[in-house]
Amino acid sequence: MGRKNSPSARKELVELITNYEAAKAEERQIYLDGDQLADIADWYATERKFAEAQEVISYGLHLHPGSTDLLIEQAYLYLDTQKLQKAKTVAAAITEEYEPDVKMLKAELLLNEGNLEEAQELLNSIEDADDLVTITDIVYLFLDLGYPENAKEWLEKGKSRYADEQDYLALTADYLFATHQTEVAIEAYNKLIDKAPYNPSYWMGLAKCHFIEENVDKTIEACDFALAADENYGEAYAYKAHSFFYLNNSDEAIENYRKAIKYKSIPPELGYMFMGLSYANKEEWQKADDYYTKVIDCFEKEGDRDSILLIDTYTSKAFALSHLQRYEEAHQLCDKAKKLGPDEGLIYLTEGKVYLAEEMEDLASEAFQKAMELNPGVEMCYMVASTYSENDYLYDAKEYYEMAYKLDPKYELVTEKLSVLCLMSNEIEDFFKYNSECKSPLGLDVIEDLLASPNHREEDEKTLKEVLKRMKKENKKKGK
């Protein structure tokens, strides 16, 4: 969550942390003011070093009992670690309740509980509530907690006074992006870049907009400009990594995920997960398995065993292990995933994939049926069909693609898949039916190439010739 406890200069913070850590390593006492210790704790929390942050706060409160800065930091730390009740207890113990930082904290606690009206009253009572710094903090607070309309109200409050200021334009751009107004946000970020072309945060704002628009080439370009301004700007590495992952460029994705983890712009467990998936895309199954293990180690270290990401990790690792022919371990991971998410159909989809790798078709079929039972709909149906197709169970694949087609004839590439499978099954009428509905139907040139290929099956030749004959006849009718 947003904090206002930060020293005026980064250099001062670096010196504070260096002195504190040196004293800690030498096991000697060091005296620092409450606000200085709060800044150190804030830095640790930002780096996701929650245990270290708590240690600093505890040490600080021993030196400065009742310090407002430290109690605020303690409350935010509890919020960061999902301990809302403890955060409320700490906030209630702060005596300087009229301080703006205290009101911001208490407003955030109220918003976390859905008490919007009380939070608004508290924020309106802040001294200098019309100051741009205060408006900025409040806008981000409402955006972070899912109150875009209230964020807009506070943004409008500053318009007449700050409209021409760069910081206000930056706030407006971030608001537009957060509320999915990407085209207007892109215009705003470009204006900011014209004003300050070496500001990496403006380039990152532009990069995020392009990423949402799935324009990954422009995303990468904007990230490169951000890194040209600051080569340590970790968020740029994270978005470059996501973009390369989207493009199936696994090597570049892996390299950028490494840097994103190094610069603390992405939680290690998430970065390792994407690295594992990238190695899986390369079919380097042992390396994929190694990184999935790293993800699990992160969760065990943090004591978090309920995350949805952990379920995804178990299933992804199980799939990797099936390629390494370690089937028993794969099934054990599926069982672990079921305990965390008993109603998650994707677990049974993975289990079915493992059974297919073992050539246990009946057990695979049962697992897929369970997956469909838990997650009925075209998406799961299509994934089961694709799994069968990838494993050369073409009859079963066609059956599930037909089910998907009945649920949604325009879903993904379902008509393309069916037209090819019908052609392979010598079902000419169904081929023409599905092919006519494809966005990119198979044409004469494709059929001619198949016939000319020395690799086509002899049993398909009669079908291919009949299809070719009908296509030529239809084209003649159309005057082609």
Side-chain angles (χ1 to χ4, degrees):
M1 296 301 170
R3 296 175 175 82
K4 294 169 73 174
N5 309 335
S6 58
S8 58
R10 179 174 176 79
K11 183 179 177 181
E12 181 184 345
L13 177 58
V14 172
E15 289 177 358
L16 281 174
I17 294 167
T18 301
N19 293 337
Y20 169 78
E21 291 187 342
K24 183 181 174 185
E26 296 167 9
E27 297 184 353
R28 60 179 170 82
Q29 297 287 315
I30 182 173
Y31 181 88
L32 294 169
D33 291 337
D35 61 331
Q36 293 175 314
L37 289 162
D39 288 331
I40 295 171
D42 178 52
W43 182 83
Y44 278 130
T46 302
E47 296 288 302
R48 295 174 55 81
K49 297 180 178 180
F50 298 130
E52 290 88 340
Q54 184 59 65
E55 187 177 356
V56 176
I57 294 168
S58 298
Y59 176 66
L61 288 172
H62 174 72
L63 291 177
H64 309 285
S67 164
T68 297
D69 290 322
L70 286 163
L71 289 173
I72 289 173
E73 198 58 44
Q74 178 71 86
Y76 277 122
L77 183 60
Y78 282 141
L79 275 174
D80 287 341
T81 51
Q82 310 298 313
K83 298 171 183 173
L84 181 58
Q85 191 55 51
K86 286 189 175 182
K88 287 173 62 180
T89 301
V90 171
I94 300 174
T95 56
E96 295 180 6
E97 56 187 37
Y98 295 105
E99 282 289 316
D101 287 355
V102 178
K103 290 185 177 182
M104 284 291 297
L105 167 64
K106 291 186 175 181
E108 182 165 335
L109 290 167
L110 288 167
L111 289 174
N112 267 285
E113 295 184 316
N115 294 328
L116 176 61
E117 191 173 329
E118 288 182 59
Q120 282 276 45
E121 288 179 14
L122 197 56
L123 293 170
N124 285 323
S125 71
I126 292 176
E127 188 178 354
D128 298 326
D130 59 348
D131 183 80
L132 182 54
V133 173
T134 304
I135 288 172
T136 300
D137 286 340
I138 293 172
V139 169
Y140 286 132
L141 175 63
F142 278 124
L143 287 176
D144 287 345
L145 295 181
Y147 294 90
E149 288 303 316
N150 302 94
K152 184 179 180 181
E153 288 176 19
W154 281 87
L155 186 66
E156 292 294 326
K157 285 183 181 182
K159 190 172 184 178
S160 60
R161 184 174 174 185
Y162 302 110
D164 296 328
E165 292 195 20
Q166 189 171 310
D167 286 347
Y168 183 80
L169 179 56
L171 177 63
T172 302
D174 288 349
Y175 166 79
L176 291 168
F177 170 73
T179 52
H180 313 294
Q181 302 177 65
T182 48
E183 288 187 15
V184 194
I186 287 171
E187 292 177 13
Y189 286 122
N190 279 322
K191 286 180 183 177
L192 287 163
I193 289 166
D194 288 341
K195 291 175 181 286
Y198 299 105
N199 187 316
S201 67
Y202 300 159
W203 284 107
M204 275 314 303
L206 184 62
K208 290 176 185 177
C209 289
H210 288 314
F211 189 77
I212 290 294
E213 296 284 317
E214 296 186 6
N215 194 335
V216 290
D217 289 332
K218 287 189 175 181
T219 302
I220 293 168
E221 182 183 44
C223 287
D224 284 338
F225 277 110
L227 290 168
D230 180 358
E231 64 180 8
N232 299 327
Y233 205 80
E235 196 173 20
Y237 291 116
Y239 273 84
K240 278 188 74 174
H242 291 326
S243 298
F244 283 122
F245 185 85
Y246 182 89
L247 292 170
N248 289 320
N249 187 336
S250 297
D251 290 333
E252 288 288 347
I254 289 164
E255 182 58 29
N256 280 280
Y257 280 125
R258 281 201 183 100
K259 291 178 179 177
I261 294 169
K262 176 183 176 181
Y263 292 110
K264 308 291 195 304
S265 65
I266 188 171
E269 59 270 22
L270 188 59
Y272 293 145
M273 181 65 176
F274 275 112
M275 289 172 77
L277 292 171
S278 297
Y279 277 117
N281 288 340
K282 295 175 67 177
E283 297 188 359
E284 294 185 22
W285 300 109
Q286 185 56 61
K287 287 184 178 179
D289 179 55
D290 291 343
Y291 276 94
Y292 297 141
T293 300
K294 283 176 178 279
V295 179
I296 294 168
D297 289 344
C298 286
F299 282 111
E300 289 182 350
K301 183 179 178 182
E302 295 174 9
D304 182 2
R305 296 176 180 273
D306 297 321
S307 171
I308 186 67
L309 182 60
L310 189 53
I311 296 175
D312 291 341
T313 308
Y314 284 147
T315 54
S316 297
K317 184 175 169 68
F319 186 59
L321 289 174
S322 72
H323 285 275
L324 296 170
Q325 298 184 359
R326 290 158 58 183
Y327 303 121
E328 186 177 347
E329 292 176 65
H331 287 300
Q332 288 171 354
L333 286 165
C334 288
D335 289 340
K336 283 186 176 182
K338 288 175 194 174
K339 289 178 182 176
L340 291 177
D343 298 325
E344 181 52 68
L346 287 172
I347 301 169
Y348 291 90
L349 177 69
T350 300
E351 191 170 49
K353 292 178 180 181
V354 177
Y355 281 129
L356 280 187
E358 296 176 272
E359 298 184 359
M360 296 182 176
E361 294 91 342
D362 291 343
L363 290 174
S365 176
E366 288 177 19
F368 293 143
Q369 288 173 26
K370 182 66 175 180
M372 286 292 299
E373 179 186 321
L374 290 171
N375 296 122
V378 65
E379 184 178 11
M380 181 60 76
C381 200
Y382 189 88
M383 286 192 288
V384 172
S386 299
T387 300
Y388 271 127
S389 179
E390 289 160 9
N391 287 274
D392 294 327
Y393 288 86
L394 301 185
Y395 176 83
D396 301 279
K398 183 170 176 287
E399 182 181 353
Y400 272 93
Y401 279 130
E402 286 173 339
M403 289 167 58
Y405 176 83
K406 288 177 183 177
L407 291 169
D408 183 356
K410 297 184 183 301
Y411 186 79
E412 292 282 347
L413 298 172
V414 67
T415 49
E416 283 82 352
K417 300 286 188 182
L418 280 168
S419 65
V420 170
L421 286 171
C422 288
L423 191 62
M424 294 174 70
S425 303
N426 303 317
E427 298 174 14
I428 296 175
E429 293 302 325
D430 282 345
F431 163 75
F432 278 101
K433 170 191 171 183
Y434 293 122
N435 197 50
S436 67
E437 296 179 31
C438 293
K439 289 181 181 178
S440 301
L442 298 180
L444 271 172
D445 54 340
V446 176
I447 305 301
E448 287 173 343
D449 287 344
L450 287 171
L451 271 170
S453 171
N455 297 322
H456 77 267
R457 299 181 306 175
E458 287 186 21
E459 59 265 34
D460 294 335
E461 188 158 336
K462 182 179 177 182
T463 298
L464 290 171
K465 286 181 177 179
E466 178 63 26
V467 168
L468 187 65
K469 181 180 176 182
R470 280 186 57 170
M471 280 185 168
K472 286 180 177 179
K473 187 176 180 180
E474 288 180 6
N475 285 348
K476 191 174 182 180
K477 283 182 180 179
K478 295 175 183 176
K480 291 185 180 180

